[in-house]
Structure formats: structure tokens, C-alpha cells
Amino acid sequence: MIYPQYPAFVVEDIVRLRRRLAHAGIPPRCTDGNFIVGTWNLRDFGGLFDDWIENPDSPKRNLRGLAIIAEVVRRFDVVALQEVKRQTTALRVLQERFLGPHWDLMLTDVTAGDKGRQERQAYLFDRRRISPSGLAGEIVLPPTADGDPQEQFDRTPYLVGFQAGGEHFALLSAHIRYGDEPAERLPELRRLARFVAREIRDRAREDGAEEANLIVLGDFNIDRRQGNPLFDAFVETGLWVPEALRTLATTYGTAAKHYDQIAWFRDDMALRPTGRAGLLDFAGAVFQELSLFQMSYRVSDHFPLWVEFALDRSDETLARTLGVDANGPDPFGGVAD
């Protein structure tokens, strides 16, 4: 924490942001108790104006913006970031000067071509609580059964394995194309959902699989969830979005969108979600002197999503030892005082 170095106007931002964080209900990170997974599209996260004051030119993101972003990221154990650009100055300063030496980074190369928008995928994680398993790779679609090449993703999804305590899991971060019309997003969404279900899910079911406990997250540019062809394509192969996230709009504005998602195959998930999940709405709490549109270039135009998972499995072990169902209404009711 470098709060003594913050100007007073930045400290005021942080105080207001902390009120929003408390309201959001993000639980404390508890050693051996839980871990928290987040996802956040950080708008055009590339260059940095290395000062606390406003830059009359470009980029608009400055140290004030990074202080706000860091305050949020610290609430997670690992966070997938979308819209990281070719230039990684802001990301490196965030990691090294704001988060500190115990935070690590994994990121892809730039996706080539105009459609890739010079973007990378990245993960930030607190290595005091999370460690990489060694699995890392970008998703490349194989040829069809006829041997024809498939159209690849505009921005290559990034699959990385992690370990928290005794739990292993894999995160697949994606940023689906936007296009001029929502219908243009449908083919890429379908390709990703079907590849994840047919290829990665099958491998995840094998004993000792590196892809076990697969969590798919990121910006899928889905306007609405229920009753929307884009959302239907996302979940048609079995991906499940936690109930706590289903009604949350992840952008601000009069027509707020449900672009961002966290999902998994519930039948294949050995991790234990606690049921706590949500987003952080910071609109109006920071950069109050600016419009929300102006603020978005300094922080983001998306809100971060998060899900908590339990690490403590002692109740399961006790129940197994006694031969009772740990998921029953009162598994230890038969134990006399």
C-alpha cells in the first residue's frame, strides 16, 4: 500500500470506492478458507501518463486511474483482464508499483490482424495464495472433419491452470468480437462454446487432467442473458452462470449490457462455490469531476465480476469419516453433545 504517496483527491476517490466495495459484498480473502476469481475488461489498457494529474493529450489513463484499479484488483486472488494492449506500460506499473512484489502476471502475445485490435489476454494473481500449475496455452481451433481450416477467433482465448491450497482449476479468458450488429458475435460465441464442451471438457474429465475445474470467463459481448440468442449460444453446451450473476449488468448507462460472464460446467465442477458472487459498480464514485464516458478511459467502461470458492473441506472429511452425507440438511445431527 502506498497511500501516503497519494494526493488528497485520489485518497477521496479511494474512500468512496471502498464504500462501494463494502456494498458489493466481496468477502475477505481468508487463508485456507477461500479464494476469489475475478474478470475485468479494462478499456484500452495500454499506455500510461505517469503522473497524478490529467494529461491534456493521450493516453488519458494516469496514476490516479491505476490507484483505483489496484484497489479493486487487491480484493481478488486471481483476475482475468481483457483489452490489454500491445503496449503494456500501464499493466507493468500496476503490477510493480501499485500491487507489489507478491503479485505475478501471465499474458499472451498480441493477437495479429486488424480484428485482434492489438490486444492481449492477461492474468494477475497474488502468489501468496495462488500459483500457476504450469498449464498455459492459447486456443486454436482444429480443422473440421473434412480437413478444412476453421475460422479462428479474432482475439485468441487464453487457458491457464492455477492452484489454490489443495485445489486445482483452469481459467479460460475470452474477448468475443463486437462487430457492427449483435448477430455478428453469434458464430464466434458458438465456436468457443462448442470447442470448450467437446475438446476441453472431455480432457477435464480424465483422471489427473490439467484442465480440471474449468472456469470460462471474460467479455462475451452478450447484451442480455435470459431470452437472448447470444446468451443461449453461450450456455447451449452446458456452461452454467451462477444465479448471483445472472441479472447483473456489467456496463453503466441507460442501456446497461450484460457483456461479461463467469461460467462453468456444473456437473464437472469439483470446486465448491460458496454462493457469493457479484460485481463492483464504481460509476460515480471516482473521477467525480468527469463524465462517466471520460472516466471510462481512466478506469474502464466495464464493471468487474467475481465469484468466491471455498478451500476448507474439513466438513466433507468429517462426514466421510462418519459415513454421513456432508450435503444433507444436518449431517452431524446424530452426534450427541
Side-chain angles (χ1 to χ4, degrees):
M1 305 293 184
I2 54 174
Y3 298 134
Q5 301 174 26
Y6 290 8
F9 61 89
V10 179
V11 173
E12 291 176 356
D13 275 345
I14 298 300
V15 169
R16 288 189 293 267
L17 180 62
R18 284 192 164 196
R19 292 175 186 152
R20 297 289 184 91
L21 285 161
H23 180 73
I26 304 175
R29 300 189 300 159
C30 178
T31 301
D32 298 328
N34 69 353
F35 68 95
I36 301 170
V37 174
T39 184
W40 198 1
N41 178 319
L42 288 174
R43 185 172 198 169
D44 290 331
F45 199 55
L48 176 71
F49 181 57
D50 199 354
D51 205 327
W52 297 100
I53 62 173
E54 282 291 300
N55 184 6
D57 297 313
S58 181
K60 292 300 183 186
R61 186 172 279 112
N62 58 9
L63 298 181
R64 180 182 180 184
L66 287 192
I68 292 163
I69 292 169
E71 192 71 22
V72 177
V73 169
R74 286 193 197 100
R75 302 303 176 103
F76 309 135
D77 292 302
V78 56
V79 57
L81 302 179
Q82 300 85 42
E83 279 200 34
V84 175
K85 307 296 283 187
R86 174 189 289 274
Q87 183 181 5
T88 58
T89 304
L91 179 61
R92 293 294 183 181
V93 172
L94 173 67
Q95 176 200 6
E96 295 167 8
R97 288 163 53 183
F98 284 86
L99 294 174
H102 48 272
W103 281 84
D104 265 345
L105 170 67
M106 297 184 71
L107 75 165
T108 66
D109 194 3
V110 175
T111 302
D114 293 340
K115 291 182 179 179
R117 296 186 69 249
Q118 303 294 304
E119 287 185 23
R120 307 173 187 266
Q121 300 276 355
Y123 295 98
L124 279 169
F125 58 97
D126 186 343
R127 69 167 180 264
R128 296 171 301 181
R129 293 171 49 82
I130 300 285
S131 59
S133 70
L135 170 70
E138 297 177 77
I139 302 301
V140 178
L141 297 175
T144 66
D146 297 328
D148 298 325
Q150 292 195 67
E151 183 180 356
Q152 299 298 328
F153 299 104
D154 289 359
R155 293 169 278 211
T156 311
Y158 189 29
L159 176 69
V160 173
F162 293 98
Q163 180 176 349
E167 305 287 354
H168 289 79
F169 60 98
L171 301 182
L172 193 158
S173 175
H175 188 184
I176 295 297
R177 73 172 53 152
Y178 186 76
D180 295 327
E181 298 292 337
E184 296 180 30
R185 308 165 199 168
L186 191 56
E188 192 170 78
L189 261 172
R190 240 187 217 122
R191 286 198 299 274
L192 178 64
R194 291 176 179 177
F195 178 81
V196 167
R198 294 173 182 172
E199 299 288 336
I200 301 177
R201 187 183 192 185
D202 284 347
R203 297 200 297 270
R205 288 171 166 169
E206 299 173 358
D207 290 339
E210 293 285 350
E211 303 86 356
N213 296 316
L214 176 68
I215 300 169
V216 180
L217 70 178
D219 178 3
F220 296 88
N221 281 313
I222 295 173
D223 297 287
R224 293 176 292 105
R225 292 193 175 97
Q226 284 80 0
N228 176 16
L230 296 175
F231 184 75
D232 292 344
F234 180 63
V235 299
E236 68 182 1
T237 59
L239 284 169
W240 179 81
V241 175
E243 293 180 7
L245 300 182
R246 291 181 193 173
T247 62
L248 301 181
T250 62
T251 64
Y252 61 82
T254 55
K257 308 296 185 181
H258 300 78
Y259 287 156
D260 306 273
Q261 313 287 336
I262 301 176
W264 54 83
F265 297 105
R266 189 158 51 163
D267 292 342
D268 298 328
M269 177 63 75
L271 296 179
R272 292 176 55 203
T274 65
R276 293 195 285 191
L279 63 71
L280 172 66
D281 181 347
F282 51 80
V286 297
F287 286 97
Q288 287 189 328
E289 74 279 11
L290 302 179
S291 69
L292 292 180
F293 179 76
Q294 291 170 321
M295 177 277 296
S296 72
Y297 284 98
R298 292 146 177 88
V299 183
S300 184
D301 54 347
H302 289 240
F303 302 137
L305 285 179
W306 58 272
V307 174
E308 180 191 34
F309 294 92
L311 283 176
D312 183 1
R313 292 183 177 267
S314 57
D315 281 353
E316 293 179 15
T317 304
L318 292 170
R320 192 181 309 116
T321 303
L322 294 175
V324 297
D325 182 5
N327 297 316
D330 186 12
F332 303 115
V335 178
D337 287 334

